[in-house]
Amino acid sequence: MASSRILSISKRIIKPSCPTPSSHRRHNLSLLDCFAHGEYAPIVFFYPKPTLTANNISQLLQESLSKALTYYYPFAGILRDNAYVDCNDRGAEFLNVRVSCPMSDVVNSCDNDTTAENCVYPQGLSYGNSNSFDGRLVMAQLTHFDCGGVAVSTSICHKIVDGYSVGNFISDWASIAKDPTCAKPSPRFDGASIFPPIHNASSTTAEVNNLPHEGQQHHVTRRYLFPASTLNTLKAKIADSESGILQNPSRVESVSALLYKCAAAAARRKAMIISGNSSFRPSTFTLFANMRPPLPLNTIGNAPGYISTSTEEEVDMQLPKLIAEIRKGKEKLRNRFNTIDRNKLVFESFQIMKQVQQVFNREGFDTYRCSSLCNFPFYNIDFGWGRPHRVSVLIPPCNFFALMDNQNRDGGVEALVTLEENDMTFFQGDKQLLEFARPI
């Protein structure tokens, strides 16, 4: 699938349905927002053929987006000097796109190549590139397939959102579209009062935004399903291990630790075949933790914590031990959130990021990252014509795992796994992985 299959594109600027009051014209970025990269956070929802006509769908989405922007007023503004958003109601970009292919062609390949970028997301953006920001804060796209199916996607600048914020926005937008009389959204834009920006942070902000990224190797993405039944088996197996050091592992802990272990094993097998080196490869695993709670669930902006653990020896790769280290990191993060100056916590997190990024330059040392969107009901997003058939996100081109609830919403987990192409070859055949997960 290439962008040449796009038949037509129309663009409109959607402004908030009510003007933003002068008292809300300036939205100050928090310190975490300042540290965030200027890349976009893209997500797409695929729907089977709705009963509404194409024109009605487009009109409904535009009108409801206009209403949603009244509550999410910074999304319709302009970023100024990496310090604040001028909430001037410039509006969000809405694209109406028609493509000459069935939706199944894109659904079956959107995780594995650039199809999604060329088709269901706005063109001209380099996703996963921190230098891709071009001034637009929010873009939404409605894609019509020749089978009658549609896709709704958003691409929002990471400077003003994290994954959880994106989910809140889309959920509120969909609720307004489905029922204009629904309860009014109540997003909080007070991140700067929780993590105040500081005047001398410019050099540090530039430093974090200029940290090296992986990208020299070619990365590919595959999707795996961990059904609820096999996930329960995995959790029980971890808890019943001989070590006896872990009780009640969560599904996110279990899946992320297993993916990390299998990915690291794949990298080791690749190195052994290419260079003949069979020694254990040390690595670092970083889990992005949502700080809501203790922050209010409707806090919009960036609110991540960073939990990182390193494995220097093979014994450190046992699942119970990995999960125990993750739990220690979580407990430490939450305790320090409540007991120390929060900006100090931000700078501590920055130091973790910096250390992890510096690992990229160490030969024979691998890095892996994981972000969980579980417990946010993406498969419940209903704009008025039913629930999505597939939800997908674009992952940065690095060793990365993204987790979300499965389509059936029965306790299973879908995992998007991005690895170096040569590593993926070995990862896909890992017997322990395939014992609990199946490729989609």
Side-chain angles (χ1 to χ4, degrees), residues 33 41 72 75 154 156-158 160-172 187-189 290 292 296-303 373 376 378:
D33 296 332
Y72 288 83
F75 289 15
T154 63
I156 307 178
C157 178
H158 212 329
I160 59 172
V161 295
D162 56 11
Y164 194 89
S165 300
V166 172
N168 274 348
F169 170 67
I170 296 174
S171 181
D172 286 336
R188 296 172 57 125
F189 293 99
N290 181 17
R292 310 172 186 85
L297 294 178
N298 57 345
T299 300
I300 304 301
N302 287 282
L373 297 173
F376 198 95
F378 285 113

Side-chain angles (χ1 to χ4, degrees), residues 162-398:
D162 56 11
Y164 194 89
S165 300
V166 172
N168 274 348
F169 170 67
I170 296 174
S171 181
D172 286 336
W173 177 19
S175 295
I176 293 172
K178 186 176 182 180
D179 179 10
T181 65
C182 69
K184 295 180 180 179
S186 56
R188 296 172 57 125
F189 293 99
D190 56 356
S193 65
I194 302 171
F195 300 104
I198 55 179
H199 296 299
N200 62 348
S202 58
S203 59
T204 307
T205 302
E207 187 178 3
V208 71
N209 283 319
N210 289 323
L211 287 172
H213 285 270
E214 295 168 280
Q216 298 301 316
Q217 303 85 7
H218 178 60
H219 290 78
V220 296
T221 301
R222 300 290 183 266
R223 182 185 294 257
Y224 288 86
L225 171 65
F226 289 80
S229 57
T230 57
L231 189 49
N232 288 334
T233 302
L234 172 62
K235 291 161 59 178
K237 187 174 182 179
I238 294 171
D240 292 340
S241 64
E242 294 180 1
S243 65
I245 62 175
L246 193 72
Q247 297 297 322
N248 301 318
S250 72
R251 56 180 182 156
V252 171
E253 290 171 340
S254 302
V255 171
S256 61
L258 178 61
L259 292 176
Y260 171 39
K261 180 180 180 180
C262 295
R268 180 181 177 184
R269 287 196 293 271
K270 179 194 70 175
M272 184 167 57
I273 290 177
I274 293 177
S275 63
N277 183 2
S278 61
S279 60
F280 180 78
R281 290 174 64 86
S283 58
T284 292
F285 176 65
T286 301
L287 179 67
F288 297 94
N290 181 17
M291 296 306 295
R292 310 172 186 85
L295 295 180
L297 294 178
N298 57 345
T299 300
I300 304 301
N302 287 282
Y306 303 92
I307 302 165
S308 188
T309 183
S310 295
T311 55
E312 299 284 349
E313 300 177 1
E314 191 162 6
V315 67
D316 297 329
M317 265 302 176
Q318 300 305 311
L319 294 183
K321 190 166 186 178
L322 287 175
I323 295 175
E325 290 299 313
I326 291 172
R327 284 189 174 180
K328 288 179 184 178
K330 287 181 181 178
E331 188 68 20
K332 179 180 178 181
L333 180 65
R334 295 193 180 280
N335 287 341
R336 292 185 70 74
F337 183 91
N338 293 317
T339 59
I340 70 171
D341 174 78
R342 288 174 180 173
N343 272 2
K344 182 179 179 181
L345 182 64
V346 173
F347 278 101
E348 287 182 357
S349 294
F350 162 68
Q351 290 302 321
I352 292 175
M353 293 166 59
K354 186 176 177 181
Q355 292 167 11
V356 171
Q357 296 283 10
Q358 288 171 344
V359 168
F360 294 164
N361 298 324
R362 290 178 56 182
E363 184 176 354
F365 205 110
D366 301 313
T367 62
Y368 303 89
R369 284 170 282 184
C370 179
S371 179
S372 172
L373 297 173
C374 289
N375 298 321
F376 198 95
F378 285 113
Y379 278 105
N380 285 338
I381 298 296
D382 181 358
F383 289 93
W385 53 80
R387 293 170 174 168
H389 169 70
R390 171 67 64 83
V391 180
S392 189
V393 297
L394 284 183
I395 300 178
C398 60

